[in-house]
Amino acid sequence: MNRAVKHIGDRDAAFLAEMGIGPLWQLRAAPQAEPEVSAGPEPVAPAEPAAPAPSLAPPPMPRQVAEAPTKPAWTPPVQENSAWGVEAEPERVDVSTLDWAGLRQAIASCKHCSACSAGRKPVPGAGARQARWLVAAGTASAIDEKARQPMTGDPGKLLDNMLAAVGLSRESDVYVTSLVKCRPANANGGDRAPTLEEAAACRPFLERERELTGAGLVLTLGQVAANGLLGKPLSEPLAGSRGAVHAFKEVPMVATLHPGELLRRPGDKALAWADLCRAKTADEGESAGAG
C-alpha cells in the first residue's frame, strides 16, 4: 500500500474521517469456511424462483462494463446536398476554440452518437471554472440526468467528502464532469455502459473542459472514464489503470474507483485514499515544477 497510507498522522486521520473511513489499519480475520457434509444424493425437486430480497443498496450507478445498445443503433440525421443530391452526416463542430458558452451549446446540440436519442438531456460539467483538478466519471446516472448536474445523490456526497479529505472542493478547486455527456440508456430506459463510439464522440468536449479550466490534474472515477481517456477497451478492469500516474495530454492523470462502487464496497475506501494521496502528490509536483 502507498506509504502515505501506511503512516497516518493526525492530519491524515482527519482526512480519513472526512471520507467516512473507519479504522482501516486492522486486518480482519478471514471467516473460516464450514466443512461440507455430504448427506448422499437426494431427490431433486423442481426449483422454485426465490423471492427477491429487499435491497438496501444505494441507487444504482452507471454500468461500468461496456455493452452494446439493446435497441438498434441510432443513425445521425442526414442532410441533402442541393447541388449533388447526396446525403452527409451533420457537420462536426471544432470545439478546440470554443468558450464556455459555445461549449455548452455544442454539447446541447450534439448529434454524433447513439446516446443522442430523442428526449436526450445532456449533463454538462459543473464546478470551479478555474480549477486545480478535473474529476471525470464515465457517464451520468439517471439521478444526474434529472438534476442536470454531474455526480449527485449519495455518490456525489461521498465524492465531496473525498475531495474535502485532500483539502479541495467543487466550489473553489475542482471541476466535475463525465466522459459521455448524454446518459446511455437501454431499450427499457435503464442505465447501460457507453460504447466506444459514444466515448470517442464526447471526448473532445472533455478535452476542451480541461483546457478551459486550466486544471493541472485529471482524476477519473471508475473504469469507463479511465479506459476511455487512456485509449483502452472500456470493459478492461480498472485494476490495470490504478496505482500509477498516467499522462492525459500535457497533465498527469490518476484513476480511482467510482464513489458508487465505494458505497457498495466500503472496504475499498482504503484503495481510493491511496489514489487520492497519489493524485495530490502528482499535483503538488506539477505545481512545484511550474514554479
Side-chain angles (χ1 to χ4, degrees):
M1 184 178 290
N2 191 297
R3 293 184 59 189
V5 182
K6 287 183 178 179
H7 305 290
I8 298 182
D10 293 340
R11 182 167 174 269
D12 287 346
F15 287 166
L16 292 170
E18 283 281 354
M19 289 178 62
I21 301 177
L24 298 174
W25 321 117
Q26 298 180 359
L27 294 175
R28 299 181 180 178
Q32 298 295 321
E34 297 183 1
E36 297 184 358
V37 178
S38 176
E42 296 182 356
V44 179
E48 296 183 359
S55 173
L56 300 179
M61 59 174 288
R63 291 284 305 281
Q64 292 290 302
V65 178
E67 61 181 30
T70 55
K71 58 183 178 181
W74 178 86
T75 302
V78 296
Q79 299 174 340
E80 183 175 340
N81 185 308
S82 58
W84 302 100
V86 296
E87 297 177 339
E89 289 187 5
E91 181 181 356
R92 290 183 180 271
V93 176
D94 179 8
V95 303
S96 63
T97 59
L98 297 180
D99 59 10
W100 282 112
L103 182 61
R104 290 181 72 90
Q105 178 58 38
I107 292 171
S109 59
C110 176
K111 298 183 183 297
H112 289 290
C113 78
S114 54
C116 300
S117 57
R120 63 190 291 273
K121 296 178 181 178
V123 180
R129 289 194 170 182
Q130 294 299 311
R132 288 179 59 186
W133 289 15
L134 182 143
V135 176
T139 70
S141 67
I143 58 174
D144 297 339
E145 182 182 60
K146 183 176 181 179
R148 303 300 291 275
Q149 291 284 331
M151 293 301 298
T152 57
D154 289 339
K157 293 176 183 177
L158 179 55
L159 174 62
D160 290 339
N161 288 340
M162 293 167 65
L163 295 174
V166 289
L168 301 173
S169 72
R170 301 196 207 200
E171 291 75 19
S172 58
D173 309 285
V174 178
Y175 184 85
V176 180
T177 189
S178 57
L179 174 57
V180 179
K181 306 305 183 189
C182 294
R183 178 178 68 91
N186 58 31
N188 297 321
D191 292 340
R192 64 165 173 81
T195 65
L196 190 60
E197 171 213 17
E198 293 162 351
C202 267
R203 176 170 168 147
F205 296 139
L206 187 146
E207 292 178 353
R208 185 57 181 160
E209 287 173 315
R210 209 290 310 165
E211 292 167 355
L212 288 172
T213 61
L217 180 131
V218 173
L219 179 74
T220 61
L221 308 176
Q223 74 185 59
V224 168
N227 293 336
L229 295 186
L230 292 175
K232 297 181 178 181
L234 298 185
S235 59
E236 184 171 312
L238 180 64
S241 300
R242 280 196 62 256
V245 178
H246 307 277
F248 176 68
K249 299 296 184 177
E250 65 271 25
V251 300
M253 179 190 124
V254 173
T256 192
L257 293 92
H258 193 288
E261 296 175 87
L262 297 177
L263 290 172
R264 287 163 174 75
R265 301 192 303 274
D268 285 348
K269 287 182 178 180
L271 301 177
W273 173 243
D275 298 331
L276 289 172
C277 291
R278 185 175 296 108
K280 189 170 181 63
T281 299
D283 178 35
E284 292 171 346
E286 284 291 307
S287 300

